[in-house]
Amino acid sequence: MPNACPALAWFNSLTVSLDGNVGKVSLVEFCAADACSVRADGPVRIPETSVSPGAVPGPATSLPVTPDPTASGAAASGRPYSPFTASRVDDRTWKVSLMMRSPETVTIKAYSADGSVLAQREVQLDWTRVGGSEACGGPETAGPVRLVI
């Protein structure tokens, strides 16, 4: 008899704990083999668009489309897409959310406001399922990962 799985999608989570001079930390980034996190609690940049009267062509007009090589992987907000997000919980704690992924080896970085790397660490993660079932899968958690600034 087939097994029915009620959960179609979930987020895994990881906690990053910062030690040391955390006052300089502006961003914590989580990177796995194919992607790095985007900041979930940061400002969202809305693309600026202006349309002048008469500038919008009629429905029968075809416009040439030239791909913008810098726009690859960008979401409508102007931020790049990532299956990982990082958000500040408090001065010493960041939470990383991972869309149905649980990579074993990751790199965690802390950045200052000017973009310089304050600390970096590669870690092996042990994931523990905290919901769902063995047959269907479900949300997992790992950490906390300690990063010394």
Side-chain angles (χ1 to χ4, degrees), residues 71-86:
S72 176
S77 67
R79 295 189 322 187
Y81 168 77
S82 174
F84 313 130
T85 58

Side-chain angles (χ1 to χ4, degrees), residues 38-86:
V38 294
R39 186 164 178 169
D41 61 342
V44 175
R45 196 184 97 215
I46 306 295
E48 294 180 20
T49 306
S50 62
V51 177
S52 304
V56 177
T61 306
S62 69
L63 298 173
V65 177
T66 304
D68 179 359
T70 62
S72 176
S77 67
R79 295 189 322 187
Y81 168 77
S82 174
F84 313 130
T85 58

Side-chain angles (χ1 to χ4, degrees), residues 66-123:
T66 304
D68 179 359
T70 62
S72 176
S77 67
R79 295 189 322 187
Y81 168 77
S82 174
F84 313 130
T85 58
S87 57
R88 183 190 305 256
V89 175
D90 57 39
D91 286 345
R92 296 193 174 276
T93 310
W94 286 70
K95 180 181 176 186
V96 179
S97 293
L98 302 85
M99 184 183 281
M100 295 180 66
R101 294 190 183 194
S102 48
E104 291 180 16
T105 304
V106 302
T107 301
I108 309 289
K109 293 181 185 179
Y111 292 91
S112 66
D114 68 4
S116 58
V117 176
L118 299 171
Q120 177 175 333
R121 180 175 176 205
E122 186 173 300
V123 289

Side-chain angles (χ1 to χ4, degrees), residues 18-41:
L18 304 178
D19 286 334
N21 190 2
V22 299
K24 293 182 178 182
V25 176
S26 175
L27 173 69
V28 168
E29 182 181 65
F30 170 95
C31 296
D34 61 344
C36 290
S37 61
V38 294
R39 186 164 178 169
D41 61 342

